[in-house]
Amino acid sequence: MCINESELKHPWWYNFKYLAVGLVFGVVFVKAEIISWFRIQEMFRLQSFHMYGVIGTAVVVGAISVFLIKKWKVKTIHGEEITFADKKFNKGQIYGGLMFGFGWAITGACPGPLFAQLGTGVLSIAVVILSAIAGTWTYGYFRDKLPH
């Protein structure tokens, strides 16, 4: 079990809150042009600041959020304590990051906006979604055998 994984069991309909947040997230991605293949290519060609601004803003918001969660000892909506585990660096993170970046540059999509792209009618992104699922499953299958 992951350190932050909830031990509480909830009815299936509790997952609708994730669907609602996902729908809002997808609409924001579409309106901000984050799912645009052209915007992503501009970023990798260093032709536009748009995506760097979005990513930089997300990093700052994430850092502030983690700081506030730790400072105020924020709990989940179900009252569970939120904890952060220290992570140990290993060279596999470099290889994984490079593979992630190459895949992002080639497909014009990172995992966040995949379903938003599908929702806008980019049906060819289904191949990328299936590949992402296959890659995640493969990593999970071989995880114990890989050097960490």
Side-chain angles (χ1 to χ4, degrees):
M1 177 186 295
C2 295
I3 195 164
N4 285 338
E5 188 172 343
S6 175
E7 294 182 16
L8 299 175
K9 300 295 179 207
H10 303 288
W12 64 270
W13 48 268
Y14 269 49
N15 291 329
F16 281 124
K17 63 183 171 244
Y18 303 114
L19 177 64
V21 170
L23 288 171
V24 170
F25 204 54
V27 169
V28 169
F29 273 10
V30 171
K31 293 296 183 183
E33 296 182 3
I34 294 170
I35 66 167
S36 168
W37 183 87
F38 298 103
R39 286 287 189 187
I40 293 168
Q41 288 302 307
E42 285 176 343
M43 176 184 71
F44 281 108
R45 292 180 180 158
L46 304 174
Q47 296 173 335
S48 173
F49 181 75
H50 181 84
M51 291 298 291
Y52 292 111
V54 170
I55 294 168
T57 302
V59 169
V60 169
V61 168
I64 292 170
S65 298
V66 169
F67 171 77
L68 294 175
I69 288 169
K70 287 180 176 181
K71 181 178 179 177
W72 292 337
K73 301 193 184 321
V74 175
K75 297 188 182 310
T76 68
I77 60 174
H78 300 291
E80 296 174 302
E81 181 181 344
I82 298 174
T83 58
F84 296 91
D86 291 335
K87 298 196 179 202
K88 183 179 167 189
F89 175 79
N90 67 62
K91 64 182 178 184
Q93 294 166 337
I94 301 295
Y95 300 134
L98 286 170
M99 289 174 58
F100 179 87
F102 289 145
W104 193 8
I106 291 168
T107 63
C110 75
L114 287 179
F115 293 99
Q117 288 175 319
L118 187 63
T120 61
V122 182
L123 299 181
S124 60
I125 207 69
V127 173
V128 178
I129 292 172
L130 292 175
S131 298
I133 292 169
T136 303
W137 181 88
T138 302
Y139 173 75
Y141 184 79
F142 290 110
R143 181 177 182 199
D144 295 337
K145 298 171 182 72
L146 297 171
H148 287 98

